[in-house]
Amino acid sequence: MRLSNSFSGALRTFAYFMASGSHYMLKGINYLELYGEEPSAIEQAFAIYANVIKLDENGIVLNAKYAEKRATQYIRSYCDSSYKVEPPFEDWEVTLHNPPPLQDLI
């Protein structure tokens, strides 16, 4: 099984805007410095994105913008303590799942 082209495109787009510092939901937030200084914040944002995104039975992404919104809300709240995430994150959204094994299975 492989991830769908739809998901691959959604993830690639999110990663590009996050890495370029140009995500429109983070306008005015200097979040690029997190990449070198606070990598766990970026890890958490991508975990939220992956936990929130939904695909249909054909692998078509149904809520890419909402997944981006939740992930960027985390970054905004991380960088600006006065920003309140609404609705507050639920436990399942912020769960950090186990990493893959150190050796590939195939």
Side-chain angles (χ1 to χ4, degrees):
M1 179 186 299
R2 292 181 154 256
L3 293 172
S4 69
N5 291 343
S6 179
F7 177 78
S8 180
L11 179 62
R12 174 202 56 82
T13 301
F14 178 63
Y16 170 81
F17 285 112
M18 289 299 293
S20 69
S22 62
H23 200 289
Y24 71 96
M25 293 181 193
L26 292 171
K27 195 170 207 144
I29 302 294
N30 184 15
Y31 64 92
L32 283 181
E33 64 189 30
L34 296 177
Y35 281 88
E37 298 174 13
E38 299 286 338
S40 62
I42 302 301
E43 174 188 32
Q44 184 66 68
F46 274 86
I48 291 167
Y49 179 86
N51 291 343
V52 170
I53 202 160
K54 291 182 181 180
L55 289 70
D56 71 10
E57 62 277 353
N58 297 311
I60 303 300
V61 174
L62 302 173
N63 68 338
K65 294 303 168 197
Y66 184 70
E68 287 184 26
K69 177 182 177 181
R70 295 302 278 168
T72 57
Q73 282 180 309
Y74 175 79
I75 295 295
R76 183 174 292 277
S77 69
Y78 191 91
C79 294
D80 176 3
S81 62
S82 70
Y83 178 78
K84 300 299 176 215
V85 174
E86 289 296 331
F89 289 114
E90 295 184 37
D91 289 344
W92 66 268
E93 290 179 288
V94 297
T95 298
L96 294 173
H97 296 285
N98 291 334
L102 295 175
Q103 297 291 322
D104 285 341
L105 300 176
I106 58 172

